[in-house]
mmCIF file of all heavy atoms in Angstrom:
data_model
loop_
_atom_site.group_PDB
_atom_site.id
_atom_site.type_symbol
_atom_site.label_atom_id
_atom_site.label_comp_id
_atom_site.label_asym_id
_atom_site.label_seq_id
_atom_site.Cartn_x
_atom_site.Cartn_y
_atom_site.Cartn_z
ATOM 1 N N GLY A 28 54.654 -17.193 -37.161
ATOM 2 C CA GLY A 28 54.509 -16.965 -38.596
ATOM 3 C C GLY A 28 53.385 -15.989 -38.836
ATOM 4 O O GLY A 28 52.207 -16.302 -38.623
ATOM 5 N N THR A 29 53.713 -14.773 -39.264
ATOM 6 C CA THR A 29 52.738 -13.688 -39.271
ATOM 7 C C THR A 29 51.654 -13.820 -40.332
ATOM 8 O O THR A 29 50.676 -13.060 -40.298
ATOM 9 C CB THR A 29 53.452 -12.335 -39.450
ATOM 10 O OG1 THR A 29 54.306 -12.393 -40.606
ATOM 11 C CG2 THR A 29 54.302 -12.017 -38.233
ATOM 12 N N LYS A 30 51.790 -14.748 -41.260
ATOM 13 C CA LYS A 30 50.688 -14.999 -42.185
ATOM 14 C C LYS A 30 49.517 -15.691 -41.482
ATOM 15 O O LYS A 30 48.392 -15.684 -41.984
ATOM 16 C CB LYS A 30 51.160 -15.866 -43.361
ATOM 17 C CG LYS A 30 52.066 -15.150 -44.346
ATOM 18 C CD LYS A 30 51.313 -14.115 -45.147
ATOM 19 C CE LYS A 30 52.167 -13.551 -46.277
ATOM 20 N NZ LYS A 30 51.446 -12.523 -47.054
ATOM 21 N N SER A 31 49.798 -16.300 -40.310
ATOM 22 C CA SER A 31 48.761 -17.030 -39.577
ATOM 23 C C SER A 31 48.574 -16.556 -38.149
ATOM 24 O O SER A 31 47.480 -16.700 -37.599
ATOM 25 C CB SER A 31 49.099 -18.526 -39.550
ATOM 26 O OG SER A 31 49.219 -19.064 -40.851
ATOM 27 N N PHE A 32 49.619 -16.006 -37.535
ATOM 28 C CA PHE A 32 49.593 -15.689 -36.111
ATOM 29 C C PHE A 32 50.091 -14.263 -35.874
ATOM 30 O O PHE A 32 50.746 -13.671 -36.730
ATOM 31 C CB PHE A 32 50.460 -16.692 -35.342
ATOM 32 C CG PHE A 32 50.068 -18.133 -35.571
ATOM 33 C CD1 PHE A 32 50.880 -18.982 -36.316
ATOM 34 C CD2 PHE A 32 48.872 -18.632 -35.072
ATOM 35 C CE1 PHE A 32 50.514 -20.302 -36.544
ATOM 36 C CE2 PHE A 32 48.498 -19.947 -35.292
ATOM 37 C CZ PHE A 32 49.316 -20.786 -36.033
ATOM 38 N N PRO A 33 49.821 -13.714 -34.687
ATOM 39 C CA PRO A 33 50.255 -12.340 -34.413
ATOM 40 C C PRO A 33 51.762 -12.191 -34.289
ATOM 41 O O PRO A 33 52.285 -11.091 -34.415
ATOM 42 C CB PRO A 33 49.568 -12.014 -33.076
ATOM 43 C CG PRO A 33 48.465 -13.010 -32.934
ATOM 44 C CD PRO A 33 48.947 -14.246 -33.620
ATOM 45 N N GLN A 34 52.480 -13.283 -33.995
ATOM 46 C CA GLN A 34 53.910 -13.186 -33.741
ATOM 47 C C GLN A 34 54.685 -14.161 -34.634
ATOM 48 O O GLN A 34 54.117 -15.073 -35.226
ATOM 49 C CB GLN A 34 54.229 -13.489 -32.268
ATOM 50 C CG GLN A 34 53.916 -14.925 -31.826
ATOM 51 C CD GLN A 34 52.447 -15.175 -31.621
ATOM 52 O OE1 GLN A 34 51.742 -14.317 -31.099
ATOM 53 N NE2 GLN A 34 51.966 -16.351 -32.022
ATOM 54 N N THR A 35 56.008 -13.946 -34.686
ATOM 55 C CA THR A 35 56.873 -14.856 -35.416
ATOM 56 C C THR A 35 58.088 -15.171 -34.555
ATOM 57 O O THR A 35 58.143 -14.799 -33.371
ATOM 58 C CB THR A 35 57.274 -14.278 -36.779
ATOM 59 O OG1 THR A 35 57.906 -15.314 -37.554
ATOM 60 C CG2 THR A 35 58.197 -13.086 -36.650
ATOM 61 N N LEU A 36 59.066 -15.856 -35.131
ATOM 62 C CA LEU A 36 60.289 -16.155 -34.404
ATOM 63 C C LEU A 36 61.031 -14.856 -34.078
ATOM 64 O O LEU A 36 60.938 -13.881 -34.830
ATOM 65 C CB LEU A 36 61.195 -17.060 -35.239
ATOM 66 C CG LEU A 36 60.664 -18.451 -35.563
ATOM 67 C CD1 LEU A 36 61.585 -19.141 -36.576
ATOM 68 C CD2 LEU A 36 60.538 -19.300 -34.302
ATOM 69 N N PRO A 37 61.778 -14.831 -32.981
ATOM 70 C CA PRO A 37 62.533 -13.620 -32.617
ATOM 71 C C PRO A 37 63.790 -13.496 -33.479
ATOM 72 O O PRO A 37 64.911 -13.743 -33.028
ATOM 73 C CB PRO A 37 62.857 -13.842 -31.139
ATOM 74 C CG PRO A 37 62.921 -15.330 -30.999
ATOM 75 C CD PRO A 37 61.890 -15.880 -31.942
ATOM 76 N N LEU A 38 63.595 -13.102 -34.723
ATOM 77 C CA LEU A 38 64.692 -12.965 -35.679
ATOM 78 C C LEU A 38 65.146 -11.514 -35.757
ATOM 79 O O LEU A 38 64.361 -10.588 -35.573
ATOM 80 C CB LEU A 38 64.244 -13.437 -37.064
ATOM 81 C CG LEU A 38 63.767 -14.886 -37.178
ATOM 82 C CD1 LEU A 38 63.194 -15.156 -38.568
ATOM 83 C CD2 LEU A 38 64.903 -15.861 -36.864
ATOM 84 N N GLU A 39 66.405 -11.349 -36.091
ATOM 85 C CA GLU A 39 66.927 -10.014 -36.354
ATOM 86 C C GLU A 39 66.649 -9.652 -37.809
ATOM 87 O O GLU A 39 66.397 -10.517 -38.655
ATOM 88 C CB GLU A 39 68.426 -9.983 -36.063
ATOM 89 C CG GLU A 39 68.776 -10.298 -34.617
ATOM 90 C CD GLU A 39 70.273 -10.452 -34.393
ATOM 91 O OE1 GLU A 39 71.034 -10.220 -35.362
ATOM 92 O OE2 GLU A 39 70.672 -10.817 -33.281
ATOM 93 N N LYS A 40 66.700 -8.384 -38.119
ATOM 94 C CA LYS A 40 66.502 -7.940 -39.494
ATOM 95 C C LYS A 40 67.552 -8.591 -40.387
ATOM 96 O O LYS A 40 68.736 -8.638 -40.053
ATOM 97 C CB LYS A 40 66.588 -6.420 -39.594
ATOM 98 C CG LYS A 40 66.254 -5.890 -40.994
ATOM 99 C CD LYS A 40 66.198 -4.389 -41.016
ATOM 100 C CE LYS A 40 65.898 -3.845 -42.423
ATOM 101 N NZ LYS A 40 64.621 -4.342 -42.957
ATOM 102 N N GLY A 41 67.103 -9.133 -41.512
ATOM 103 C CA GLY A 41 68.007 -9.776 -42.452
ATOM 104 C C GLY A 41 68.186 -11.259 -42.218
ATOM 105 O O GLY A 41 68.931 -11.907 -42.962
ATOM 106 N N GLU A 42 67.510 -11.818 -41.209
ATOM 107 C CA GLU A 42 67.616 -13.252 -40.948
ATOM 108 C C GLU A 42 66.445 -13.996 -41.600
ATOM 109 O O GLU A 42 65.307 -13.534 -41.570
ATOM 110 C CB GLU A 42 67.642 -13.525 -39.446
ATOM 111 C CG GLU A 42 68.938 -13.058 -38.795
ATOM 112 C CD GLU A 42 69.066 -13.475 -37.347
ATOM 113 O OE1 GLU A 42 68.024 -13.621 -36.664
ATOM 114 O OE2 GLU A 42 70.212 -13.642 -36.891
ATOM 115 N N VAL A 43 66.761 -15.155 -42.167
ATOM 116 C CA VAL A 43 65.788 -15.942 -42.916
ATOM 117 C C VAL A 43 65.806 -17.376 -42.411
ATOM 118 O O VAL A 43 66.881 -17.962 -42.194
ATOM 119 C CB VAL A 43 66.117 -15.933 -44.427
ATOM 120 C CG1 VAL A 43 65.078 -16.722 -45.210
ATOM 121 C CG2 VAL A 43 66.198 -14.516 -44.954
ATOM 122 N N VAL A 44 64.625 -17.949 -42.218
ATOM 123 C CA VAL A 44 64.475 -19.370 -41.889
ATOM 124 C C VAL A 44 63.882 -20.061 -43.112
ATOM 125 O O VAL A 44 62.795 -19.681 -43.584
ATOM 126 C CB VAL A 44 63.564 -19.569 -40.661
ATOM 127 C CG1 VAL A 44 63.300 -21.058 -40.428
ATOM 128 C CG2 VAL A 44 64.194 -18.933 -39.425
ATOM 129 N N LEU A 45 64.574 -21.068 -43.638
ATOM 130 C CA LEU A 45 64.145 -21.770 -44.836
ATOM 131 C C LEU A 45 63.292 -22.975 -44.460
ATOM 132 O O LEU A 45 63.725 -23.821 -43.661
ATOM 133 C CB LEU A 45 65.356 -22.244 -45.641
ATOM 134 C CG LEU A 45 66.374 -21.175 -46.042
ATOM 135 C CD1 LEU A 45 67.546 -21.816 -46.775
ATOM 136 C CD2 LEU A 45 65.726 -20.104 -46.901
ATOM 137 N N THR A 46 62.096 -23.071 -45.025
ATOM 138 C CA THR A 46 61.239 -24.230 -44.777
ATOM 139 C C THR A 46 60.688 -24.745 -46.099
ATOM 140 O O THR A 46 60.439 -23.980 -47.031
ATOM 141 C CB THR A 46 60.069 -23.880 -43.834
ATOM 142 O OG1 THR A 46 59.152 -23.000 -44.486
ATOM 143 C CG2 THR A 46 60.568 -23.243 -42.540
ATOM 144 N N PHE A 47 60.501 -26.069 -46.146
ATOM 145 C CA PHE A 47 60.004 -26.752 -47.335
ATOM 146 C C PHE A 47 58.875 -27.701 -46.936
ATOM 147 O O PHE A 47 59.018 -28.469 -45.987
ATOM 148 C CB PHE A 47 61.124 -27.544 -48.013
ATOM 149 C CG PHE A 47 62.245 -26.698 -48.547
ATOM 150 C CD1 PHE A 47 63.313 -26.335 -47.726
ATOM 151 C CD2 PHE A 47 62.233 -26.244 -49.856
ATOM 152 C CE1 PHE A 47 64.350 -25.546 -48.209
ATOM 153 C CE2 PHE A 47 63.263 -25.451 -50.351
ATOM 154 C CZ PHE A 47 64.314 -25.099 -49.528
ATOM 155 N N ASP A 48 57.778 -27.657 -47.680
ATOM 156 C CA ASP A 48 56.609 -28.491 -47.395
ATOM 157 C C ASP A 48 56.428 -29.593 -48.429
ATOM 158 O O ASP A 48 56.883 -29.484 -49.574
ATOM 159 C CB ASP A 48 55.338 -27.641 -47.409
ATOM 160 C CG ASP A 48 55.162 -26.811 -46.157
ATOM 161 O OD1 ASP A 48 56.089 -26.760 -45.333
ATOM 162 O OD2 ASP A 48 54.087 -26.196 -45.999
ATOM 163 N N ASP A 49 55.706 -30.646 -48.003
ATOM 164 C CA ASP A 49 55.067 -31.668 -48.858
ATOM 165 C C ASP A 49 55.966 -32.814 -49.279
ATOM 166 O O ASP A 49 55.471 -33.780 -49.865
ATOM 167 C CB ASP A 49 54.446 -31.056 -50.120
ATOM 168 C CG ASP A 49 53.240 -30.190 -49.843
ATOM 169 O OD1 ASP A 49 52.889 -30.030 -48.660
ATOM 170 O OD2 ASP A 49 52.647 -29.672 -50.799
ATOM 171 N N GLY A 50 57.242 -32.769 -49.042
ATOM 172 C CA GLY A 50 58.121 -33.860 -49.458
ATOM 173 C C GLY A 50 58.087 -35.017 -48.471
ATOM 174 O O GLY A 50 57.212 -35.068 -47.592
ATOM 175 N N PRO A 51 59.037 -35.918 -48.645
ATOM 176 C CA PRO A 51 60.054 -35.912 -49.690
ATOM 177 C C PRO A 51 59.499 -36.400 -51.031
ATOM 178 O O PRO A 51 58.569 -37.198 -51.060
ATOM 179 C CB PRO A 51 61.114 -36.874 -49.149
ATOM 180 C CG PRO A 51 60.348 -37.826 -48.284
ATOM 181 C CD PRO A 51 59.242 -37.018 -47.671
ATOM 182 N N TRP A 52 60.127 -35.903 -52.112
ATOM 183 C CA TRP A 52 59.640 -36.202 -53.453
ATOM 184 C C TRP A 52 60.815 -36.611 -54.333
ATOM 185 O O TRP A 52 61.914 -36.080 -54.166
ATOM 186 C CB TRP A 52 58.940 -34.977 -54.028
ATOM 187 C CG TRP A 52 57.995 -35.282 -55.147
ATOM 188 C CD1 TRP A 52 58.136 -34.948 -56.462
ATOM 189 C CD2 TRP A 52 56.755 -35.992 -55.042
ATOM 190 N NE1 TRP A 52 57.071 -35.400 -57.187
ATOM 191 C CE2 TRP A 52 56.192 -36.049 -56.332
ATOM 192 C CE3 TRP A 52 56.064 -36.576 -53.983
ATOM 193 C CZ2 TRP A 52 54.980 -36.666 -56.604
ATOM 194 C CZ3 TRP A 52 54.854 -37.190 -54.239
ATOM 195 C CH2 TRP A 52 54.323 -37.234 -55.529
ATOM 196 N N PRO A 53 60.596 -37.546 -55.266
ATOM 197 C CA PRO A 53 61.711 -37.987 -56.114
ATOM 198 C C PRO A 53 62.329 -36.814 -56.870
ATOM 199 O O PRO A 53 61.619 -35.937 -57.370
ATOM 200 C CB PRO A 53 61.057 -38.982 -57.075
ATOM 201 C CG PRO A 53 59.809 -39.424 -56.392
ATOM 202 C CD PRO A 53 59.339 -38.255 -55.577
ATOM 203 N N HIS A 54 63.644 -36.828 -56.975
ATOM 204 C CA HIS A 54 64.422 -35.889 -57.774
ATOM 205 C C HIS A 54 64.447 -34.474 -57.180
ATOM 206 O O HIS A 54 65.528 -33.921 -56.964
ATOM 207 C CB HIS A 54 63.932 -35.844 -59.225
ATOM 208 C CG HIS A 54 63.810 -37.183 -59.866
ATOM 209 N ND1 HIS A 54 64.872 -38.062 -59.962
ATOM 210 C CD2 HIS A 54 62.740 -37.816 -60.413
ATOM 211 C CE1 HIS A 54 64.477 -39.180 -60.553
ATOM 212 N NE2 HIS A 54 63.181 -39.059 -60.825
ATOM 213 N N THR A 55 63.292 -33.864 -56.928
ATOM 214 C CA THR A 55 63.300 -32.463 -56.498
ATOM 215 C C THR A 55 63.860 -32.299 -55.083
ATOM 216 O O THR A 55 64.636 -31.370 -54.830
ATOM 217 C CB THR A 55 61.886 -31.863 -56.572
ATOM 218 O OG1 THR A 55 60.968 -32.712 -55.880
ATOM 219 C CG2 THR A 55 61.445 -31.726 -58.025
ATOM 220 N N THR A 56 63.485 -33.188 -54.166
ATOM 221 C CA THR A 56 64.014 -33.078 -52.806
ATOM 222 C C THR A 56 65.520 -33.279 -52.815
ATOM 223 O O THR A 56 66.266 -32.530 -52.158
ATOM 224 C CB THR A 56 63.336 -34.090 -51.872
ATOM 225 O OG1 THR A 56 61.940 -33.801 -51.784
ATOM 226 C CG2 THR A 56 63.940 -34.041 -50.471
ATOM 227 N N ALA A 57 65.989 -34.255 -53.550
ATOM 228 C CA ALA A 57 67.431 -34.509 -53.620
ATOM 229 C C ALA A 57 68.173 -33.318 -54.217
ATOM 230 O O ALA A 57 69.266 -32.946 -53.754
ATOM 231 C CB ALA A 57 67.696 -35.772 -54.438
ATOM 232 N N ALA A 58 67.593 -32.701 -55.242
ATOM 233 C CA ALA A 58 68.242 -31.544 -55.864
ATOM 234 C C ALA A 58 68.333 -30.379 -54.884
ATOM 235 O O ALA A 58 69.352 -29.666 -54.830
ATOM 236 C CB ALA A 58 67.476 -31.130 -57.112
ATOM 237 N N ILE A 59 67.268 -30.180 -54.104
ATOM 238 C CA ILE A 59 67.290 -29.107 -53.101
ATOM 239 C C ILE A 59 68.314 -29.416 -52.010
ATOM 240 O O ILE A 59 69.059 -28.526 -51.578
ATOM 241 C CB ILE A 59 65.876 -28.898 -52.531
ATOM 242 C CG1 ILE A 59 65.001 -28.215 -53.595
ATOM 243 C CG2 ILE A 59 65.920 -28.066 -51.243
ATOM 244 C CD1 ILE A 59 63.533 -28.192 -53.265
ATOM 245 N N LEU A 60 68.392 -30.652 -51.583
ATOM 246 C CA LEU A 60 69.399 -31.030 -50.593
ATOM 247 C C LEU A 60 70.811 -30.805 -51.129
ATOM 248 O O LEU A 60 71.694 -30.350 -50.400
ATOM 249 C CB LEU A 60 69.209 -32.487 -50.173
ATOM 250 C CG LEU A 60 67.991 -32.770 -49.288
ATOM 251 C CD1 LEU A 60 67.773 -34.270 -49.136
ATOM 252 C CD2 LEU A 60 68.140 -32.106 -47.927
#
């Protein structure tokens, strides 16, 4: 993760990894799922 480290995952251009922090939380986590 380049916001913290020199390198990131070996992704191709246009590839996205989705991550979510701090849950699980009522209502919002279920809606995202």
Side-chain angles (χ1 to χ4, degrees):
T29 53
K30 288 290 189 181
S31 302
F32 304 109
Q34 65 284 320
T35 191
L36 296 171
L38 301 173
E39 299 172 5
K40 186 174 179 59
E42 290 187 331
V43 182
V44 174
L45 305 177
T46 69
F47 296 87
D48 283 8
D49 291 2
W52 201 249
H54 309 303
T55 52
T56 297
I59 288 169
L60 288 170

